[in-house]
Amino acid sequence: MNTMYFLALTIGAVLCAGLFAWKLRRAGLKAAAAWIALPLSCVLGLVMARVAYFALEFRDMYVKHDGLAGLLSGNPQEFSIIGGCLGVILAVLLTAKLTHQRALPLLDAFAPSGALMVAIARACEGLIDPMKMVGLGAWVDNEALHFFPLAVEVEWMGTFYAVFMLEAALALLCALAAFLLSRKGGFKPGRVFLHTMTFLALPQIFCEQILGDCMAWGFVKIEQLLCALIVFGVILNACIRMRKLSAYVPAVLCLLCAAVLIWMEFTLDNKLLFGIEIPTVGCYAIMVAAICCMGALEQWAYRKLNKAE
């Protein structure tokens, strides 16, 4: 089953490279760069996904026990999607260097393809051996909900929510948004790429919350934290570029939204702050509202930057 998983990822990567080549041609750039980026992305994406998992989870006793030999593991559970994305971005930057093109326009052209590849990678998780499957949520006790794509049955264990399909659907919407942004035009180089990073990171903050098994330091979910930092970094970038104190309001408000997310995290973990007890559904609703506010703040920050420029 893992062979089918990696084969499906490879086919998806080729399709995304084709979309990348088309976007490059439409932008007046060298379309051949897409086919140079393809093998580089496959290699660097896999390597960085494995290295990131190893580095971030080194405190885990199983990772420590395996030592450096653990880097050679092919277990799908032991790869970091954010590390993989970083590897692919590095591959695109290296491709820009090799083809003597500017990096930012290349990243903008790549953004829809990159988001689509994330969607494909998430959907392909359904091909993994159920005993090693990633992207599962809580156990489903209502038999009326025991159907795919809502849930997946794991032999001897029961039926669980297929969170990976929600992640795939949200990433697909991000790919569509990135495609429409790139067609709209009128953006400074690199802006479409930055917006796409935000589009991908925001929903993942929530998805990490409902996953049954994820990379974590205690109760701190690692990739949830990294996604929040990505969004904050993108907003902070706009604030810094405006070069005035009042421009930092979106960044400060983003930190307040992050504080709300942390509050809900404590509440869900039965560690009440301010003595306020909130039902689970209420916590999730507040988290989604805070995440939507972070997205609105990112758009506000860049509208202000566009006017300032």
Side-chain angles (χ1 to χ4, degrees), residues 75-292:
N75 187 343
Q77 293 174 317
E78 298 177 353
F79 287 82
S80 164
I81 187 71
I82 292 181
C85 290
L86 176 60
V88 172
I89 291 169
L90 289 174
V92 174
L93 293 175
L94 181 57
T95 299
K97 190 75 173 175
L98 292 172
T99 57
H100 307 290
Q101 299 183 89
R102 290 190 302 150
L104 293 181
L106 216 65
L107 286 172
D108 283 340
F110 169 74
S113 305
L116 179 60
M117 189 63 222
V118 172
I120 292 172
R122 292 299 193 188
C124 286
E125 290 173 9
L127 298 174
I128 300 173
D129 184 334
M131 297 300 292
K132 296 182 179 180
M133 191 175 287
V134 293
L136 297 180
W139 182 63
V140 184
D141 56 355
N142 186 346
E143 292 188 4
L145 302 178
H146 289 191
F147 60 89
F148 188 81
L150 184 63
V152 172
E153 183 179 355
V154 179
E155 192 173 5
W156 307 113
M157 297 178 66
T159 304
F160 300 85
Y161 285 110
V163 178
F164 66 89
M165 289 303 296
L166 173 62
E167 292 173 315
L170 291 171
L172 187 60
L173 288 176
C174 293
L176 178 60
F179 180 78
L180 293 175
L181 272 182
S182 63
R183 282 183 63 86
K184 180 180 178 182
F187 294 98
K188 293 275 188 177
R191 298 285 165 81
V192 172
F193 174 71
L194 288 176
H195 288 315
T196 303
M197 282 206 307
T198 304
F199 296 157
L200 287 170
L202 282 169
Q204 194 59 33
I205 294 173
F206 177 75
C207 290
E208 289 292 324
Q209 185 62 47
I210 59 176
L211 284 172
D213 185 26
C214 60
M215 297 168 60
W217 297 323
F219 73 91
V220 177
K221 297 171 177 63
I222 298 173
E223 294 199 320
Q224 184 183 50
L225 174 62
L226 293 176
C227 286
L229 289 174
I230 288 170
V231 175
F232 178 70
V234 172
I235 294 174
L236 186 61
N237 172 70
C239 298
I240 292 172
R241 287 179 176 273
M242 281 184 273
R243 298 180 180 178
K244 55 183 180 180
L245 191 59
S246 61
Y248 286 85
V249 172
V252 173
L253 293 177
C254 180
L255 290 176
L256 290 176
C257 291
V260 171
L261 292 173
I262 294 170
W263 177 16
M264 292 303 102
E265 180 74 32
F266 272 94
T267 304
L268 287 167
D269 202 41
N270 294 320
K271 298 180 178 68
L272 301 182
L273 294 181
F274 313 115
I276 301 174
E277 186 174 356
I278 303 172
T280 299
V281 174
C283 288
Y284 286 156
I286 292 171
M287 291 185 79
V288 170
I291 290 167
C292 290

